[in-house]
């Protein structure tokens, strides 16, 4: 498939300004990129190399890990050798190891050639020490390996010398025994040990879809639940990446991405666009509710404008938001504000109104609205209020069914708010919850 013409996913020149915004944010960060063997063989691989060159020019430290499944399968077919497993997820017998070593050499050289063509310095090293997987469920995994130890000092030195470490899925044990390691696992280990800020799996598969819905952005907890309850919903060839993405995040890597590398510009798009084309999984710590600060006023104004347009929110100027900034809470995902809520006190704090509850459409139906309202109610309780009220034109069911508010009447409002309600003519529904 040639996706060069697939403009839908192309980075437009005007997006350069968007990229520049991220330059200070990612400078000197480590990104671990895991390239499937099939991607190295794909015609878009040359463009992936160009994207890597852009990352390097922005001073992002890149570690490359490559897979060999595709090449190993082809070699086995050509040589008519029966292999135990092309993907390094099961056991590796002697014949498979022999071909895997050959495949790894071919892929490494190809990647190295491509990097050279793009003026990028790289090095292969023995910085990964492996150990036998051993016996699993009664079966000897033979020459399948796991990571025993990473020589972080060596990797750090290479990165500090503007060199891309190129890591192959063949590694040696302490005694020098050759073992095959699954490249998804290898990349996840490297990401957590090298304190990478991103682990990016690049495949030649459609991104992660569940029940035909593309998953573009989700907290790691959701993926863990999916793995535990319905792993069959995850496409088979992506399961190992999903499993290792979860492991890496739980071991401290803030974000992992699973991305179809066949699209032109896919890598840059995923990293520098707010909503990339792959699946980004983030650590639960990267979503949070916090009190707004002055610098958030513009974002709050921008995101709520949409609600004003559809008349679900009352109009508020940026100045009025700035003036009352400490009354706002914002919901942040991965550094971006995706939702807000305003808390206004009446009757000396006896009652608090939650207003301007807004969640960006892309993030709706993911529990953000409910969490913000719950947080606001907890905060109101802490401040000594005994009732929280909400007025809404279009979301009364959200408050009643999801947030357990009760439908009330204008009589349930504090006197000051009642006057305004009768004057503004919005005929909002009144809801309240007693704390
Ligand atoms: C209302 C709003 C804040 C909800 O945020 P959210 O993050 O999408 O909501 P959550 O994910 O926490 O909750 C999702 C649930 O709420 C329901 N829901 C969300 N908006 C709803 C609405 N307008 N009417 C009825 N139900 C709604 C969903 O159907 C879903 O129900 P389910 O859990 O039974 O499937 C968001 O839709 C929004 O910003 N709307 C536009 C602005 C608005 O109307 N604000 C209220 C004015 S104060």
């Amino acid at each position: 498939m040639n996706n060069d013409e697939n403009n839908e996913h192309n980075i437009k020149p005007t997006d350069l300004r968007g990229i520049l915004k991220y330059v200070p944010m990612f400078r000197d960060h480590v990104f671990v990129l895991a390239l499937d063997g099939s991607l190295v063989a794909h015609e878009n691989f040359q463009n992936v190399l160009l994207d890597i060159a852009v990352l390097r020019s922005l001073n992002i430290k890149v570690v490359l890990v490559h897979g060999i499944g595709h090449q190993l399968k082809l070699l086995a077919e050509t040589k008519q050798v029966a292999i135990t497993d092309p993907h390094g997820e099961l056991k590796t017998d002697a014949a498979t190891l022999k071909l895997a070593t050959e495949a790894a050499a071919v892929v490494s050289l190809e990647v190295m050639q491509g990097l050279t063509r793009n003026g990028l310095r790289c090095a292969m090293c023995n910085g990964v020490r492996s150990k036998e997987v051993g016996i699993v469920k009664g079966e000897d995994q033979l020459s399948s390996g796991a990571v025993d130890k990473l020589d972080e000092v060596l990797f750090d030195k290479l990165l500090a010398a503007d060199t891309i470490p190129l890591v192959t899925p063949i590694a040696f044990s302490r005694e020098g025994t050759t073992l095959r390691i699954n490249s998804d696992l290898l990349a996840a280990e490297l990401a957590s040990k090298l304190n990478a800020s991103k682990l990016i799996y690049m495949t030649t598969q459609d991104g992660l879809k569940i029940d035909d819905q593309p998953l573009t952005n989700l907290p790691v907890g959701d993926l863990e639940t999916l793995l535990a309850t319905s792993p069959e919903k995850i496409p088979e060839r992506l399961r190992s990446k999903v499993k290792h993405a979860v492991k890496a995040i739980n071991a401290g890597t803030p974000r992992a991405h699973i991305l179809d590398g066949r699209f032109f510009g896919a890598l840059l798009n995923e990293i520098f666009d707010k909503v990339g084309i792959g699946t980004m999984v983030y650590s639960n710590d990267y979503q949070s509710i916090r009190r707004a600060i002055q610098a958030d006023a513009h974002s709050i104004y921008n995101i709520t404008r949409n609600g004003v347009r559809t008349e679900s929110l009352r109009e508020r100027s940026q100045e009025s938001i700035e003036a009352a900034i400490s009354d706002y809470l914002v919901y942040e995902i991965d550094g971006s504000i995706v939702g807000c809520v305003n808390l206004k006190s009446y009757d000396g704090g006896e009652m608090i109104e939650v207003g301007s509850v807004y969640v960006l459409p892309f993030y709706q139906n993911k529990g953000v609205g409910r969490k913000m309202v719950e947080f606001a109610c907890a905060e109101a309780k802490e401040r000594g209020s005994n009732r929280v009220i909400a007025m809404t034109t279009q979301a009364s069911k959200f408050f009643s069914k999801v947030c357990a508010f009760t439908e009330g009447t204008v009589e349930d409002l504090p006197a000051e708010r009642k006057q305004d309600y009768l004057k503004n003519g919005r005929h909002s529904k009144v809801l309240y919850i007693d704390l």
Side-chain angles (χ1 to χ4, degrees), residues 50-211:
L50 280 175
D51 286 1
I52 294 173
V54 173
L55 298 185
R56 286 294 306 121
S57 72
L58 299 175
N59 286 321
I60 291 168
K61 295 175 171 173
V62 176
V63 177
L64 282 186
V65 181
H66 70 75
I68 51 171
H70 171 81
Q71 289 77 2
L72 178 53
K73 247 198 288 185
L74 284 183
L75 260 180
E77 275 165 27
T78 317
K79 299 198 172 186
Q80 299 198 325
V81 174
I83 54 172
T84 38
D85 165 39
H87 302 294
E89 290 166 23
L90 309 171
K91 69 176 177 187
T92 307
D93 66 7
T96 308
L97 181 68
K98 189 164 179 293
L99 291 193
T101 316
E102 242 178 86
V106 170
V107 181
S108 295
L109 290 179
E110 205 160 323
V111 177
M112 222 187 249
Q113 184 188 39
L115 292 171
T116 309
R117 216 181 285 129
N118 284 281
L120 296 167
R121 191 187 280 167
C122 70
M124 288 178 67
C125 65
N126 61 354
V128 177
R129 195 168 84 192
S130 65
K131 61 181 178 194
E132 273 106 0
V133 169
I135 296 165
V136 177
K137 292 187 185 141
E139 198 175 5
D140 192 341
Q141 301 300 298
L142 305 168
S143 295
S144 288
V147 174
D148 183 20
K149 205 172 175 186
L150 283 181
D151 188 341
E152 289 128 28
V153 175
L154 177 55
F155 281 104
D156 285 345
K157 277 189 179 158
L158 290 174
L159 291 169
D162 285 337
T163 303
I164 298 177
L166 175 59
V167 186
T168 117
I170 301 289
F172 308 105
S173 72
R174 189 197 296 265
E175 297 79 26
T177 310
T178 308
L179 296 167
R180 159 100 198 262
I181 304 187
N182 172 270
S183 60
D184 299 333
L185 175 147
L186 191 51
E189 295 263 354
L190 279 158
S192 51
K193 296 277 169 26
L194 301 177
N195 295 324
S197 38
K198 280 184 189 292
L199 163 63
I200 304 173
Y201 288 117
M202 294 192 75
T203 69
T204 49
Q205 305 239 340
D206 285 348
L208 195 53
K209 282 187 192 157
I210 303 298
D211 299 333

Side-chain angles (χ1 to χ4, degrees), residues 2 5 17 34 81 114 118 121 128 141 154 204 226 253 257-258 268 274 344 349-350 357 370 383 385 390 392 398:
N2 181 357
E5 299 96 36
R17 258 188 305 167
V81 174
N118 284 281
R121 191 187 280 167
V128 177
Q141 301 300 298
L154 177 55
T204 49
L226 193 68
T253 306
H257 302 246
I258 299 172
L268 296 185
K274 227 182 191 151
K344 190 167 175 0
E350 282 270 299
V357 187
R370 181 182 50 79
R383 288 196 208 166
S385 310
T392 174
F398 164 75

Side-chain angles (χ1 to χ4, degrees), residues 275-345:
V275 179
I277 65 168
T279 301
M280 181 181 88
V281 193
Y282 49 88
S283 135
N284 291 335
D285 306 344
Y286 279 75
Q287 51 176 344
S288 62
I289 301 173
R290 62 167 175 82
R291 195 171 298 285
I293 53 168
Q294 263 324 320
D296 300 323
H298 189 60
S299 300
I300 295 174
Y301 175 68
N302 267 341
I303 66 167
T304 51
R305 257 198 317 199
N306 198 20
V308 171
R309 241 180 266 125
T310 56
E311 293 188 21
S312 55
L313 297 188
R314 253 178 114 165
E315 175 134 31
R316 285 174 211 242
S317 65
Q318 187 168 328
E319 290 70 34
S320 75
I321 295 173
E322 274 167 12
I325 197 72
S326 57
D327 294 338
Y328 281 88
L329 296 173
V330 290
Y331 196 106
E332 214 175 27
I333 291 182
D334 209 26
S336 296
I337 292 176
V338 304
C340 64
V341 54
N342 175 277
L343 277 76
K344 190 167 175 0
S345 300

